């Protein structure tokens, strides 16, 4: 083995440029597949991070406008959801639905404490809002069932708004009374503001909101979590049945998709995952074609090596060298070249991903109103890097096998005649 290594080293030194170009093709192939996958993962992880702000198995139902004439009524009627729709949702679909709630909001409201104040949006919600929209509670509690039943004047505000009211000790704000448009509310909790949202909401019990702002039995949105709907077909069937039932309550055509709108976060995530899968496949295809260029380079260098050393191999066989020794020499050269340069490309690819992660790995776009994560954690698992390395070494071995077999089979007399 030692003699083989010395011979390979001598051949490499003799053909420096050719070996360097071949090695560059191998290293570039490994580097590009790791770099592309890392960059793609950065974009994909940013999308996943955004979708994690909501509960996957949840739906939001909103009011719309009829697009069909039905039951003697013209199209173009505005539909307003109400508490009866909530009861239908809870009673008729309890096989799949867990918790039913509602949302309503009002912009431009002022919350004050002594001389400090802030202006923002108020939202009336049910207790399930904290799970469905995944709010991180920092202090105190969220709206609960007792708040809903007793129409308590309870308020949950964001940490940023809490600092506006009590800059030096926001924790002490929990339990204090603040004025919401001159109505006293007790702050019961503080949540972490999601900077990816344009709006900073203060939350109160939906029943309290409805009474103060004279909403009657109207609701803006119905929200609920669900279970047992695991496929796209099951979700489509559920939405069709649900839409027909709610539309019937408002004398709208059962198949009128404009009367109410349904945001199914489960199917939205399924569609997003399909898009992610397509992106990942495209990145792999591009990377593998780049890797293929390295494999072709190794194959070419082996073919040229065999052609240039034909006379040498003929002399070896003439003085008693076995075909297996020639085969082993060429295969060993192919493996060593692909391994060394492949490892170099892998290290450079990992280093480039680490650099991306350190510099732009948590890139956010700040519009002044909200922040959006555009690039997050652009890295590739070590297992992927090792697999890519194994592929190039195996492919390099196979690429060297064809010319190696040709060299091993050549007859000495034919080799000596070669120029």
């Amino acid at each position: 083995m030692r003699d083989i290594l010395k011979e390979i080293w001598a051949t490499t030194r003799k053909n420096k440029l050719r070996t360097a170009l071949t090695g560059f093709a191998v290293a570039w192939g490994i580097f590009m597949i790791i770099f592309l996958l890392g960059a793609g993962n950065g974009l994909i992880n940013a999308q996943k991070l955004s979708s994690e702000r909501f509960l996957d198995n949840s739906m939001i139902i909103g009011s719309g406008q009829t697009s069909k004439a039905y039951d003697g009524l013209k199209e173009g009627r505005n539909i307003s959801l109400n508490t009866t729709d909530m009861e239908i949702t809870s009673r008729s679909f309890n096989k799949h639905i867990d918790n039913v709630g509602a949302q309503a909001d009002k912009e431009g409201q002022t919350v004050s404490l002594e001389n400090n104040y802030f202006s923002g949006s108020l939202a009336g919600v049910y207790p399930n809002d904290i799970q469905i929209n995944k709010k991180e509670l920092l202090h105190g509690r969220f709206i609960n069932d007792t708040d809903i039943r007793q129409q308590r004047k309870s308020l949950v505000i964001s940490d940023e708004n809490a600092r506006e009211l009590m800059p030096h000790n926001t924790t002490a704000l929990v339990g204090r009374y603040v004025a919401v448009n001159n109505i006293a509310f007790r702050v019961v909790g503080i949540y972490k503001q999601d900077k990816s949202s344009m709006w900073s909401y203060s939350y109160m019990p939906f029943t309290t909101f409805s009474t103060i702002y004279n909403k009657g039995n109207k609701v803006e949105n119905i929200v609920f979590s669900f279970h047992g709907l695991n496929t796209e077909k099951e979700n489509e069937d559920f939405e069709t049945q649900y839409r027909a039932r709610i539309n019937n309550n408002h004398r709208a055509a059962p198949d009128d998709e404009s009367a109410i709108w349904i945001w199914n976060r489960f199917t939205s995530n399924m569609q997003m995952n399909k898009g992610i899968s397509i992106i990942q496949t495209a990145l792999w295809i591009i990377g593998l074609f780049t890797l293929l260029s390295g494999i072709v380079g190794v194959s070419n260098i082996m073919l040229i090596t065999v052609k240039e050393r034909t006379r040498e191999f003929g002399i070896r066989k003439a003085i008693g060298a076995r075909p297996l020794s020639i085969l082993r020499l060429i295969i060993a050269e192919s493996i060593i070249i692909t391994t060394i340069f492949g490892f170099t490309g892998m290290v450079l690819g990992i280093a480039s991903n680490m650099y991306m992660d350190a510099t732009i790995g948590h890139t956010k776009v700040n519009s002044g109103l909200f922040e959006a994560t555009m690039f997050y954690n652009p890295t590739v698992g070590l297992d992927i890097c090792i697999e890519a390395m194994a592929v190039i070494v195996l492919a390099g071995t196979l690429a060297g096998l064809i010319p190696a077999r040709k060299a091993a089979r050549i007859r000495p007399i034919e080799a000596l005649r070669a120029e």
Side-chain angles (χ1 to χ4, degrees), residues 27-45:
W28 182 253
I30 290 284
F31 170 82
M32 282 305 297
I33 194 169
I34 294 175
F35 176 80
L36 286 173
L37 288 176
N41 284 341
L43 296 172
I44 290 168
N45 290 337

Side-chain angles (χ1 to χ4, degrees), residues 141-383:
R141 64 172 178 84
F142 198 67
I143 304 301
N144 59 29
D145 291 327
T146 305
D147 293 327
I148 296 293
R149 286 195 307 271
Q150 299 181 6
Q151 298 186 22
R152 288 177 172 174
K153 294 182 178 66
S154 302
L155 194 68
V156 179
I157 64 176
S158 71
D159 54 343
E160 292 189 356
N161 287 337
R163 282 191 287 271
E164 294 289 336
L165 298 181
M166 195 171 283
H168 305 296
N169 188 10
T170 55
T171 307
L173 191 60
V174 176
R176 294 285 298 271
Y177 282 87
V178 297
V180 180
N181 293 333
N182 298 320
I183 300 175
F185 275 76
R186 185 170 180 262
V187 177
V188 296
I190 298 174
Y191 71 94
K192 185 176 182 180
Q193 172 64 33
D194 181 6
K195 294 185 179 180
S196 64
S197 174
M198 293 180 61
W199 312 110
S200 176
Y201 284 98
S202 298
Y203 298 96
M204 66 174 64
F206 182 86
T207 50
T208 307
F209 181 95
S210 183
T211 300
I212 290 176
Y213 294 104
N214 196 27
K215 294 292 184 179
N217 69 338
K218 293 183 180 180
V219 301
E220 291 180 11
N221 297 323
I222 297 174
V223 297
F224 56 82
S225 57
F226 60 88
H227 64 275
L229 303 175
N230 301 315
T231 65
E232 194 167 354
K233 179 67 166 57
E234 290 175 346
N235 278 271
E236 288 176 357
D237 291 343
F238 174 85
E239 289 180 26
T240 299
Q241 295 172 15
Y242 183 83
R243 177 177 283 107
R245 187 70 180 83
I246 299 299
N247 283 2
N248 181 66
N249 188 45
H250 298 275
R251 297 175 65 188
D255 59 345
D256 190 347
E257 297 185 0
S258 297
I260 62 169
W261 54 263
I262 300 176
W263 179 15
N264 188 332
R265 287 166 171 169
F266 183 83
T267 53
S268 293
N269 268 356
M270 290 179 67
Q271 292 167 2
M272 184 188 73
N273 289 334
K274 286 181 182 178
I276 287 174
S277 179
I278 292 171
I279 293 172
Q280 288 176 327
T281 302
L283 290 173
W284 269 106
I285 291 173
I286 294 170
L288 289 174
F289 271 108
T290 308
L291 202 61
L292 183 62
S293 67
I295 296 169
V296 171
V298 174
S299 181
N300 286 336
I301 193 68
M302 290 298 104
L303 286 169
I304 294 171
T305 298
V306 169
K307 184 174 180 61
E308 289 182 347
R309 299 174 68 184
T310 300
R311 288 177 62 85
E312 176 192 333
F313 293 147
I315 294 172
R316 284 173 180 256
K317 295 189 73 175
I319 61 178
R322 299 174 61 188
L324 183 61
S325 65
I326 296 174
L327 184 70
R328 187 167 57 239
L329 173 65
I330 298 173
I331 290 296
E333 183 175 344
S334 177
I335 291 174
I336 289 172
I337 289 174
T338 53
T339 300
I340 292 175
F341 288 100
F343 181 78
T344 302
M346 184 183 75
V347 171
L348 292 175
I350 294 173
S352 68
N353 284 347
M354 292 176 65
Y355 179 76
M356 277 196 297
D357 189 34
T359 53
I360 60 174
H362 297 80
T363 299
K364 294 183 179 180
V365 175
N366 192 332
S367 69
L369 295 175
F370 65 95
E371 287 183 356
T373 301
M374 304 301 294
F375 205 68
Y376 181 75
N377 192 23
T379 55
V380 178
L382 186 61
D383 56 335

Side-chain angles (χ1 to χ4, degrees), residues 6-42:
K6 285 183 178 180
E7 190 167 349
I8 292 173
W9 173 246
T11 304
T12 302
R13 291 186 63 186
K14 183 179 178 181
N15 301 282
K16 293 178 183 178
L17 179 60
R18 189 175 65 197
T19 303
L21 292 175
T22 303
F24 175 78
V26 172
W28 182 253
I30 290 284
F31 170 82
M32 282 305 297
I33 194 169
I34 294 175
F35 176 80
L36 286 173
L37 288 176
N41 284 341

